[in-house]
Amino acid sequence: MKKILIVILTFLLFTCNKDDNNTANCNFLFDAGVNLTVNTNLPQFSQLEFSNNGVYVPNQGNNGIWLWRLNSSTLYAWDAADPSHQPATCSTLEETGNGDIVTCGCDDGNQYSLATGQGFDENTQPCTLQLYRVDDIGNNIYLVTN
């Protein structure tokens, strides 16, 4: 019985990952309730009628929401908080003027793609932007929820 216990403990000791910091760093965002209606017929959302355009909506999610029109049938809603570090006033992702790229205002300057949610460097690789559900209600109206 002791041999079996020693074998099991040895197996667990060598198979467990000792460096869980990368995945642990993706747990900074809160599960903020989101219930947003988006009407692309309205001027503040009219850019979303065209592919490869984004709109930032404050006061939703953790640090606002980035809406991104990928193509005529796909609208993404990403949380605008950098998922790779703790929330701070500088961690809101801002448009950089480079198409679908948003950048964290903190010293790390993490960058993410609004088209994929993926980060561009080693600091962001284990984490992706937090995606919200987008339902097409019809008549250019969408419901964003989590």
Side-chain angles (χ1 to χ4, degrees):
M1 186 67 166
K2 283 184 178 181
K3 288 182 180 182
I4 293 173
L5 185 59
I6 290 172
V7 169
I8 292 173
L9 289 175
T10 303
F11 175 76
L12 290 175
L13 180 66
F14 288 107
T15 59
C16 291
N17 185 357
K18 294 179 184 175
D19 184 15
D20 289 334
N21 289 335
N22 286 342
T23 56
N25 287 342
C26 297
N27 297 322
F28 291 124
L29 301 184
F30 301 108
D31 190 19
V34 173
N35 189 1
L36 172 67
T37 301
V38 176
N39 183 343
T40 60
N41 295 318
L42 298 175
Q44 65 265 33
F45 298 117
S46 62
Q47 288 181 308
L48 297 174
E49 292 184 23
F50 307 100
S51 298
N52 298 314
N53 279 305
V55 172
Y56 174 74
V57 180
N59 304 318
Q60 295 286 329
N62 287 277
N63 284 6
I65 292 178
W66 272 104
L67 300 168
W68 180 258
R69 170 65 73 183
L70 183 64
N71 54 44
S72 62
S73 63
T74 306
L75 179 67
Y76 289 126
W78 306 104
D79 199 290
D82 186 340
S84 296
H85 57 75
Q86 294 180 350
T89 55
C90 63
S91 66
T92 300
L93 298 168
E94 298 178 4
E95 185 179 27
T96 60
N98 295 330
D100 71 335
I101 299 172
V102 289
T103 303
C104 175
C106 299
D107 290 338
D108 54 18
N110 292 336
Q111 293 187 326
Y112 297 87
S113 167
L114 291 174
T116 65
Q118 298 291 318
F120 290 110
D121 62 26
E122 217 173 89
N123 294 334
T124 61
Q125 288 308 311
C127 305
T128 59
L129 295 179
Q130 182 174 321
L131 183 64
Y132 293 108
R133 179 184 174 133
V134 178
D135 291 314
D136 185 350
I137 298 173
N139 297 325
N140 295 328
I141 299 174
Y142 299 87
L143 180 62
V144 179
T145 59
N146 59 336

